[in-house]
Amino acid sequence: PAGITKARVTVTGGGGGGGSSDGTATKSGSGAGAGGTTIKTVTLSGSTATITIGAGGNGGAGGSDATGGTGGNSSFVNSATTVSANGGSGGDSSSNRESGQGGVASTTGDLNLGGSDGTQGGYYASGFAGGFAGGASYWGGGGGWRSGTVAKAFGGGGGGNYGSNAAAAGAGGVVTIEY
């Protein structure tokens, strides 16, 4: 709008997708990491900005023992100012069981926050293994721990899953501009 010269920009990367099991009910994939968030007060110049919204990573396919996809990076670019945030990594497969790492904090903001890591998958000698929770972003929670549920908020990591069920995708990032 006319007369507006400064704005607070908040940029969050996409969450990673949860990891899946090899089809065994006693194994689960890991939860994915959440996207990082960067906040900066910018001086606006020119009449346009280029905004990129990072997509959430895909969850591992059911029964495939697959690592989830990495969330995409998000950015706001206006003239010489760039504000960016990194996506979270996917949750690992049930064979490796490493948690998805949260998006690494950027260095382009006044406040640079890394995303939360997902939780590690597991193996149980008897019974069933629940999928494990995705990491939370600046905006809220990741996907649920048991049923590979989708993240609850922008940039949240997807939950891992057990057995032949598919793991959940991460939530897409977001860019907000407040003036």
Side-chain angles (χ1 to χ4, degrees):
I4 301 298
T5 60
K6 291 196 178 280
R8 183 174 94 160
V9 177
T10 303
V11 180
T12 299
S20 65
S21 171
D22 62 2
T24 306
T26 56
K27 293 181 179 180
S28 69
S30 297
T37 295
T38 305
I39 301 170
K40 183 175 181 72
T41 299
V42 299
T43 300
L44 301 173
S45 65
S47 59
T48 62
T50 301
I51 296 172
T52 302
I53 306 292
N58 292 326
S64 67
D65 200 32
T67 297
T70 298
N73 298 335
S74 297
S75 64
F76 168 93
V77 180
N78 176 249
S79 188
T81 302
T82 298
V83 184
S84 61
N86 297 307
S89 67
D92 216 340
S93 66
S94 62
S95 294
N96 296 319
R97 297 188 300 275
E98 294 295 326
S99 61
Q101 302 299 299
V104 175
S106 170
T107 59
T108 61
D110 299 324
L111 180 61
N112 303 295
L113 306 169
S116 295
D117 295 343
T119 55
Q120 188 173 16
Y123 174 77
Y124 297 89
S126 62
F128 73 93
F132 284 76
S137 74
Y138 171 81
W139 302 98
W145 71 272
R146 183 167 179 216
S147 57
T149 55
V150 176
K152 308 294 188 267
F154 295 118
N161 216 335
Y162 68 96
S164 59
N165 301 306
V174 66
V175 174
T176 66
I177 304 166
E178 301 170 82
Y179 54 89

